[in-house]
């Protein structure tokens, strides 16, 4: 048990260090709402503490908790993000103190836990808390991207590989593979249960669509050609006035730039395009004579090993991601150029499926066969069957704890503040 406790303690500490770094800014910045799409950063900080109090102190530790009086304030389903600034939220100092006190008590619960209940077995509830916190850390990073003013975050650039993969696309043979998981002890409920899925043969881009390729779509009038857009996508394009990915600007000379966490930088043609919504991705794919991959296609390309017929935890195998495999964990505050992480490629040669940018798929968010909500309905079940589209793979802002070959993200098809890009696929004769 000591090894499990050590790992969980390390993961909890890493998650908290990132949250504290994102909130190490002026109080006025913490309490401001930088976009109606996002909460004030101070709300996220206290919400993380409240969720940890509910699950680690009360549910796992059997304790009375620290601040049950604030449960309503930090219930994400009771208060839409746009309304949260008007709530009597804890101030920055009080929120920091609350988070610190809950974490100190959670450490005691971890030290004494027998890991002998459905909630605690294999450390699940602690891993769930880690994943919740790092998911909010990525949301908080998106808030930083939306804020106005000079930069307050800094990180070194990612490494740069000189040459992209030689092949532009990879053929994935038709056949069954195992999708989802029934054995990963820290997988969340929507990743379960493992089930066999037949996927016809298809081809998928070897790398995500780049800025340079997306510029070709713009130059060819992609945003003005109604035939490239779905009816819903065209309505949104017109209503929202979409003309380019979010945070892109073009100067009088015709040069494109993008704003990145308060700094305006030249657009790198070799980076994956980011901050595009599902409708933009779908229109590009149609322009290119292709389509977005289904969720099952994406997962087969990422996990299926043609040598063994088994599904691996990550494209490169079952070992945990390292800095050689993927751009994760907010080590770098931008995507790496395509081809930078050859060690992270799948067995068939599909690159950068993990990290850099979340990838839109064509699939709606639905439960797998045998789905059971655990430990609460509000994580997944309440979102099934709506307009949400599934995203896969994680971004540069995603922590390794919330990123694996089975991990499922979802959002509305109009959202662009998330660190999302895409790659394309096409049908091929079954092989």
């Amino acid at each position: 048990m000591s090894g499990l406790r050590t790992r969980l303690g390390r993961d909890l500490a890493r998650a908290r260090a990132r949250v504290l770094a994102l909130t190490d800014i002026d109080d006025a910045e913490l309490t401001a709402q930088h976009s109606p799409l996002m909460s004030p950063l101070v709300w996220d900080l206290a919400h993380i503490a409240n969720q940890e109090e509910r699950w680690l102190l009360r549910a796992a530790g059997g304790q009375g908790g620290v601040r049950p009086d604030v449960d309503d304030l930090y219930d994400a389903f009771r208060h839409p993000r746009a309304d949260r600034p008007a709530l009597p939220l804890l101030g920055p100092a009080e929120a920091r103190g609350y988070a610190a006190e809950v974490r100190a008590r959670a450490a005691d619960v971890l030290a004494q836990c027998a890991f002998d209940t459905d909630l605690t077995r294999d450390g699940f509830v602690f891993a769930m808390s880690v994943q919740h916190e790092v998911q909010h850390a990525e949301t908080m990073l998106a808030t930083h991207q939306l804020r106005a003013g000079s930069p307050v975050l800094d990180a070194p650039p990612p490494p740069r590989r000189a040459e992209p993969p030689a092949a532009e696309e990879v053929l994935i043979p038709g056949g069954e593979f195992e999708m989802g998981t029934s054995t990963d002890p820290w997988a969340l409920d929507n990743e379960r249960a493992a089930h066999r899925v037949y996927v016809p043969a298809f081809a998928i881009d070897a790398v995500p669509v780049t800025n340079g390729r997306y510029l070709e779509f713009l130059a060819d009038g992609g945003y003005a050609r109604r035939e490239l857009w779905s009816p819903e996508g065209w309505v949104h394009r017109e209503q929202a006035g979409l003309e380019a990915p979010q945070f892109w600007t073009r100067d009088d000379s015709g040069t494109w730039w993008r704003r990145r966490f308060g700094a305006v930088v030249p657009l790198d043609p070799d980076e994956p395009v980011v901050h595009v919504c599902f409708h933009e991705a779908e229109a590009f794919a149609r322009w290119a004579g292709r389509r977005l991959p289904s969720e099952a296609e994406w997962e087969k390309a990422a996990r299926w090993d043609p040598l063994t017929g088994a599904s691996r935890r990550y494209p490169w195998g079952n070992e945990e991601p390292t800095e050689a495999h993927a751009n994760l964990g907010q080590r770098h505050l931008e995507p790496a150029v395509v081809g930078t992480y050859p060690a992270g490629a799948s067995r068939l040669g599909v690159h950068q499926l993990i990290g850099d940018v979340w990838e839109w798929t064509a699939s709606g968010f639905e439960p797998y066969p045998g789905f059971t909500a655990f430990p609460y309905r509000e994580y997944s079940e309440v979102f099934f069957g709506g307009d949400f589209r599934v995203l896969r793979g994680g971004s540069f802002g995603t922590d390794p704890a919330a990123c694996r070959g089975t991990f499922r993200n979802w959002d509305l098809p109009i959202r662009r503040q998330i660190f999302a890009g895409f790659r394309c696929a096409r049908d091929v004769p079954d092989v």
Side-chain angles (χ1 to χ4, degrees):
M1 293 296 183
S2 62
L4 177 60
R5 287 186 223 280
T6 298
R7 177 173 179 183
L8 289 166
R10 183 190 67 218
D11 288 355
L12 284 163
R14 184 182 71 248
R16 183 54 49 87
R18 190 62 213 158
V19 166
L20 293 179
L22 291 165
T23 54
D24 186 20
I25 56 178
D26 291 344
D27 285 359
E29 295 275 10
L30 278 180
T31 56
Q33 186 174 46
H34 298 285
S35 165
L37 294 174
M38 313 301 281
S39 308
L41 289 166
V42 74
W43 185 93
D44 285 286
L45 177 60
H47 168 77
I48 289 166
N50 185 250
Q51 189 80 348
E52 189 168 292
E53 176 182 346
R54 290 172 187 246
W55 290 103
L56 299 192
L57 304 193
R58 300 182 206 167
Q63 299 183 14
V66 177
R67 291 292 302 268
D69 58 303
V70 300
D71 284 358
D72 178 78
L73 284 177
Y74 297 103
D75 185 330
F77 284 88
R78 287 182 179 271
H79 307 289
R81 288 176 176 176
D83 298 343
R84 291 171 188 169
L87 299 173
L89 303 177
L90 302 182
E94 198 173 7
R96 290 188 179 105
Y98 177 39
E101 183 174 357
V102 171
R103 175 53 56 89
R105 295 193 186 187
D108 291 338
V109 174
L110 176 60
Q112 299 168 18
C113 186
F115 305 113
D116 58 355
T117 67
D118 287 344
L119 190 61
T120 62
R121 189 166 292 112
D122 297 313
F124 173 80
V125 72
F126 299 95
M128 181 185 78
S129 188
V130 169
Q131 292 177 79
H132 176 263
E133 184 158 359
V134 297
Q135 285 175 296
H136 272 274
E138 184 165 2
T139 299
M140 295 165 84
L141 188 66
T143 301
H144 274 274
Q145 172 64 12
L146 287 162
R147 64 173 285 278
S150 57
V152 295
L153 300 177
D154 188 36
R160 188 180 184 100
R161 183 172 169 82
E163 295 293 333
E168 292 185 1
E169 65 177 14
V170 175
L171 175 66
I172 310 297
E176 284 192 347
F177 85 107
E178 183 178 86
M179 186 173 184
T181 180
S182 296
T183 58
D184 191 319
W186 294 354
L188 302 173
D189 58 6
N190 63 59
E191 300 170 66
R192 301 173 181 273
H195 55 290
R196 304 292 295 180
V197 177
Y198 178 83
V199 179
F202 67 100
I204 191 167
D205 290 348
V207 296
V209 170
T210 63
N211 290 329
R213 185 75 171 121
Y214 202 86
L215 281 171
E216 296 177 27
F217 170 65
L218 264 69
D220 198 36
Y223 279 83
R225 294 170 56 181
R226 186 169 186 166
E227 74 274 12
L228 299 177
W229 299 72
S230 69
E232 299 83 2
W234 183 256
V235 168
H236 176 65
R237 192 214 67 76
E238 288 193 309
Q239 290 178 345
L242 303 186
E243 296 181 347
Q246 192 171 14
F247 309 115
W248 283 29
T249 57
R250 183 166 52 182
D251 63 24
D252 293 340
S253 71
T255 301
W256 283 95
W257 303 75
R258 66 163 295 208
R259 184 165 61 83
R260 178 181 289 153
F261 301 108
V264 178
V265 298
L267 193 69
D268 189 329
D270 296 323
E271 283 184 9
V273 66
V274 64
H275 295 301
V276 290
C277 70
F278 171 85
H279 296 307
E280 290 168 294
E282 187 180 49
F284 174 97
R286 191 170 290 117
W287 170 81
R290 300 168 73 81
R291 57 176 175 79
L292 297 180
S294 69
E295 182 181 14
E297 287 174 332
W298 189 98
E299 187 168 324
K300 184 172 183 180
R303 299 185 62 212
W304 181 66
D305 183 348
L307 299 182
T308 64
S311 291
R312 311 195 295 185
R313 195 163 189 252
Y314 299 98
W316 56 84
N318 294 318
E319 64 269 28
E320 295 291 326
T322 68
E323 293 187 12
H325 289 120
N327 180 9
L328 292 166
Q330 304 184 21
R331 296 193 310 269
H332 316 293
L333 296 179
E334 58 190 284
V337 301
V338 295
T340 294
Y341 296 95
S346 72
R347 180 77 79 181
L348 286 172
V350 188
H351 287 243
Q352 284 163 282
L353 286 155
I354 299 292
D356 288 304
V357 293
W358 287 103
E359 298 184 15
W360 289 107
T361 73
S363 299
F365 187 48
E366 299 288 352
Y368 289 161
F371 169 83
T372 300
F374 181 79
Y376 59 103
R377 293 183 61 249
E378 289 80 9
Y379 180 70
S380 303
E381 187 174 356
V382 297
F383 297 100
F384 291 144
D387 293 334
F388 297 97
R389 291 291 183 274
V390 172
L391 301 103
R392 288 302 203 100
S395 77
F396 64 86
T398 306
D399 188 87
C403 189
R404 49 193 165 264
T406 57
F407 191 91
R408 307 173 77 195
N409 190 8
W410 65 96
D411 212 327
L412 293 171
I414 64 172
R415 294 292 185 235
R416 304 207 296 173
Q417 83 279 6
I418 56 178
F419 303 111
F422 63 100
R423 73 181 72 215
C424 297
R426 67 179 179 88
D427 299 333
V428 300
D430 210 358
V431 294

